[in-house]
Amino acid sequence: MKKTHIKLLGISLLLLVMLFPSCTNDLDQAPENTAAVPGDEFFKDPASYKQFLAKLYAGFATSGQSGPAGSPDISGIDEGASQYIRGFWMMQELTTDEAIIAWNDGTIKDFHYQTWTSLDTFIAATFARFSFQIVNCNEFLRQTTDEKLNGKGLDAPTLAEIKTYRAEARFLRALTYWHLVDTFGGGSIVTETSPSTFYYPEYASRAEIYKFIDEELTALTPELKAPKTNELYRVDQAAAWMLQAKLYMNAKVYTGTDNYVGALPLINKVITSGYAIHNNYKDLFLADNNSNGAQNEFIFTVAFDGLNTQTYGGTTFLVHAPVGGDMKASEFGINGGWAGIRTTSAFVDKFPAGSTDVRGNFFTQGQSKEIKNVGSFSDGYAIQKFRNVTKAGVQGSDKSGNFADTDFPIFRLADAYLMYAECVARGAGGNVATAVGYVNALRTRAQTTTISAGDLTLDFILDERAKELHWEGHRRTDLIRFGKFTGGSYLWPWKGNVAGGSPTQSFRDLFPIPATALVANNKLKQNPGY
């Protein structure tokens, strides 16, 4: 069984918490107030630079500084709910046809109903988490300038490695800014050249943040390692091409001007960069997906380990929360389900009756397809996607069954295949036969029928993205890009807090800037409608 303790850049996470001894971030404070400066003393050891970089990667996985609970990065909310992947996932998936939750935790049901407000604590926690991650990236970049490195006696190979580390830190910051611009729109641009003492950052529009991310990716990509030459879990140039392609695919939403033409060459670079489609779809979401062959499809993943990155967020959440009712927790490598997340009939219906598509892996025993009572786990089919067992059926490393080993894919090659097909369908170039070949490669793996060129419509691609990528944090962004997230052109059960679905207001294509952040920094601007 993997040990992220070793594999996450070869260091112990226990060393990392020393960098940020008191980085709590109360939700009644401006997120930008959370800068933590470790100081020059820490960087006397050349190994400290890699340790700090590891903290930045771990920022997507951990929720605090002492394991699953007790010393959170973000206070004012249950620590597990403040974890990066869990917060982002709730905003991307619970708001769509792919996921609905039974719990009564605060305002959590407002996500699926699309009735959230600027006072929502879950939204505030995710906004704070994004800011916390950006602040930490900025601090690493401050500590690794040429001026800072001069006189430290570092040899040429170490200096070259630190240059690569800096490019990776800039990528991780750009990724977080992309999540910010996608979910919240505008905000602030805070970088390593911004003041490290308290100040009020100026407001930056969505288009301005888009431009910043684009320019950053163009500048940092040449300084990353070539595709498939970096250590496991560290990014390479293919990850940067993928992120920039994602930015361009959604340019019409972010800026008002589409850029599918710009996305296509980047997608081609990703596809030809050496990554490969794994032959078994279900392997991609198992406890050993870092070693069972799935890793060859993963362009960037967030590492989780049941012993060394313990959190109630991440894939621990995605394994436990969908298990309940008649489901056997042991088959998922856990000690019990949390009976929370199911899916809607709108998603189930994308898999016709009798379909052999392995991606439609629903648990139906004791479950009704229709959801009469949102608070009842048995209303709605369960999804059996993420599991804490290996391909051989062995439980993950945490034998108590609490925490999962399953890594979470941020980018994988199958997504690039579907992005290529979408660009072709939108008339942005490319080759129809090639696009059909990419789609059929995925459908063949899924053990379902292949398509022909006439099937390659935008509606088909949107549905295919749901089938292939459901619960991986893409659905809200996809529905917005296709004009089907808000409004009445596409309804699903309990959208708008109506059993059969109801149109919602278009301003909900963006989440509100949290009220607490607006109070703390009056230079921020609220999104229209809130």
Side-chain angles (χ1 to χ4, degrees):
M1 195 60 59
K2 71 178 179 187
K3 295 182 180 178
T4 304
H5 174 83
I6 300 299
K7 287 194 172 183
L8 188 59
L9 313 186
I11 64 165
S12 169
L13 291 174
L14 295 176
L15 295 176
L16 300 180
V17 302
M18 299 170 62
L19 286 170
F20 302 96
S22 58
C23 290
T24 55
N25 183 18
D26 291 320
L27 296 182
D28 60 355
Q29 297 176 351
E32 289 84 359
N33 294 354
T34 61
V37 184
D40 292 336
E41 187 69 21
F42 178 81
F43 291 98
K44 287 184 176 180
D45 181 358
S48 63
Y49 295 97
K50 195 171 189 180
Q51 292 172 8
F52 199 154
L53 179 67
K55 171 64 180 178
L56 304 184
Y57 280 98
F60 293 101
T62 57
S63 57
Q65 302 169 47
S66 61
S71 184
D73 297 326
I74 311 295
S75 62
I77 191 172
D78 173 82
E79 184 171 334
S82 75
Q83 193 270 335
Y84 195 113
I85 297 300
R86 180 168 168 176
F88 181 66
W89 189 95
M90 290 193 300
M91 293 167 73
Q92 289 288 92
E93 297 290 351
L94 285 182
T95 57
T96 76
D97 56 342
E98 290 186 352
I100 192 167
I101 198 162
W103 301 341
N104 289 316
D105 296 2
T107 56
I108 198 165
K109 285 191 173 73
D110 289 351
F111 280 120
H112 194 82
Y113 299 157
Q114 296 192 5
T115 57
W116 54 77
T117 73
S118 64
L119 299 175
D120 192 288
T121 305
F122 295 106
I123 293 173
T126 303
F127 186 82
R129 175 61 65 182
F130 291 168
S131 183
F132 183 78
Q133 182 73 356
I134 289 167
V135 165
N136 290 348
C137 290
N138 286 341
E139 184 56 30
F140 178 82
L141 293 169
R142 283 194 186 96
Q143 296 291 340
T144 53
T145 62
D146 289 342
E147 181 182 9
K148 283 280 189 178
L149 296 175
N150 285 340
K152 291 188 179 290
L154 300 172
D155 58 28
T158 300
L159 290 172
E161 274 297 296
I162 292 174
K163 184 177 181 180
T164 302
Y165 298 163
R166 284 180 57 85
E168 292 177 44
R170 290 172 73 184
F171 170 89
L172 298 177
R173 182 177 64 182
L175 176 65
T176 303
Y177 268 116
W178 175 53
H179 289 160
L180 176 73
V181 83
D182 187 80
T183 52
F184 293 101
S188 300
I189 299 175
V190 183
T191 73
E192 69 275 19
T193 62
S194 302
S196 57
T197 55
F198 177 82
Y199 79 109
Y200 293 108
E202 295 293 332
Y203 175 78
S205 69
R206 198 177 203 185
E208 289 171 330
I209 299 177
Y210 173 96
K211 182 174 182 289
F212 169 76
I213 300 168
D214 188 22
E215 291 175 347
E216 274 289 281
L217 290 170
T218 298
L220 69 86
T221 300
E223 298 181 359
L224 291 172
K225 293 192 176 183
K228 295 188 72 66
T229 64
N230 211 344
E231 295 176 281
L232 188 64
Y233 301 120
R234 287 176 59 191
V235 297
D236 59 26
Q237 290 178 338
W241 295 328
M242 189 72 169
L243 178 54
Q244 197 162 27
K246 285 283 188 183
L247 191 70
Y248 291 172
M249 292 287 289
N250 295 285
K252 182 67 177 292
V253 175
Y254 301 155
T255 70
T257 304
D258 76 57
N259 194 15
Y260 297 104
V261 170
L264 192 61
L266 293 166
I267 296 166
N268 276 321
K269 285 185 176 183
V270 172
I271 290 173
T272 58
S273 62
Y275 290 89
I277 297 296
H278 183 52
N279 60 11
N280 188 314
Y281 182 79
K282 292 183 179 180
D283 289 353
L284 301 173
F285 313 103
L286 298 179
D288 59 346
N289 62 352
N290 65 306
S291 60
N292 65 16
Q295 75 276 11
N296 297 318
E297 183 172 330
F298 293 156
I299 297 164
F300 178 48
T301 59
V302 174
F304 287 98
D305 183 283
L307 297 179
N308 300 290
T309 58
Q310 293 185 347
T311 172
Y312 291 110
T315 51
T316 290
F317 169 72
L318 291 177
V319 174
H320 282 269
V323 175
D326 293 338
M327 302 171 78
K328 294 181 180 178
S330 60
E331 294 181 359
F332 295 82
I334 54 177
N335 55 15
W338 296 351
I341 309 170
R342 304 90 73 210
T343 194
T344 72
S345 58
F347 178 66
V348 174
D349 288 344
K350 298 185 188 306
F351 299 86
S355 171
T356 58
D357 195 325
V358 301
R359 300 172 298 185
N361 190 15
F362 304 111
F363 186 90
T364 61
Q365 180 180 322
Q367 304 290 129
S368 63
K369 180 180 173 183
E370 301 302 329
I371 302 172
K372 294 181 179 180
N373 179 0
V374 174
S376 171
F377 180 81
S378 62
D379 283 20
Y381 286 172
I383 286 181
Q384 306 174 99
K385 185 162 185 172
F386 292 92
R387 295 174 183 256
N388 185 38
V389 294
T390 68
K391 187 172 184 176
V394 178
Q395 185 185 36
S397 59
D398 176 19
K399 299 309 178 184
S400 71
N402 284 319
F403 303 104
D405 282 350
T406 313
D407 296 338
F408 183 82
I410 299 293
F411 297 139
R412 58 185 178 93
L413 185 62
D415 190 2
Y417 277 15
L418 294 172
M419 290 163 66
Y420 182 96
E422 183 179 338
C423 286
V424 170
R426 292 186 183 275
N431 180 275
V432 173
T434 301
V436 170
Y438 288 153
V439 170
N440 282 338
L442 303 181
R443 290 179 67 85
T444 298
R445 173 174 70 177
Q447 300 175 25
T448 191
T449 56
T450 56
I451 66 164
S452 59
D455 299 313
L456 200 68
T457 66
L458 288 176
D459 284 344
F460 168 84
I461 289 169
L462 180 60
D463 283 351
E464 197 67 14
R465 287 187 62 81
K467 293 176 183 179
E468 178 69 29
L469 301 167
H470 65 278
W471 284 25
E472 295 178 52
H474 302 282
R475 187 60 170 168
R476 172 189 157 275
T477 301
D478 288 348
L479 286 172
I480 291 172
R481 187 171 67 257
F482 283 78
K484 294 188 176 183
F485 180 64
T486 53
S489 63
Y490 177 42
L491 301 179
W492 55 83
W494 295 102
K495 177 181 178 179
N497 198 14
V498 174
S502 177
T504 53
Q505 307 102 318
S506 61
F507 71 80
R508 294 191 182 278
D509 284 349
L510 279 174
F511 288 99
I513 303 298
T516 49
L518 292 171
V519 169
N521 181 4
N522 60 16
K523 291 185 178 180
L524 292 175
K525 297 179 182 179
Q526 184 57 279
N527 291 320
Y530 294 105

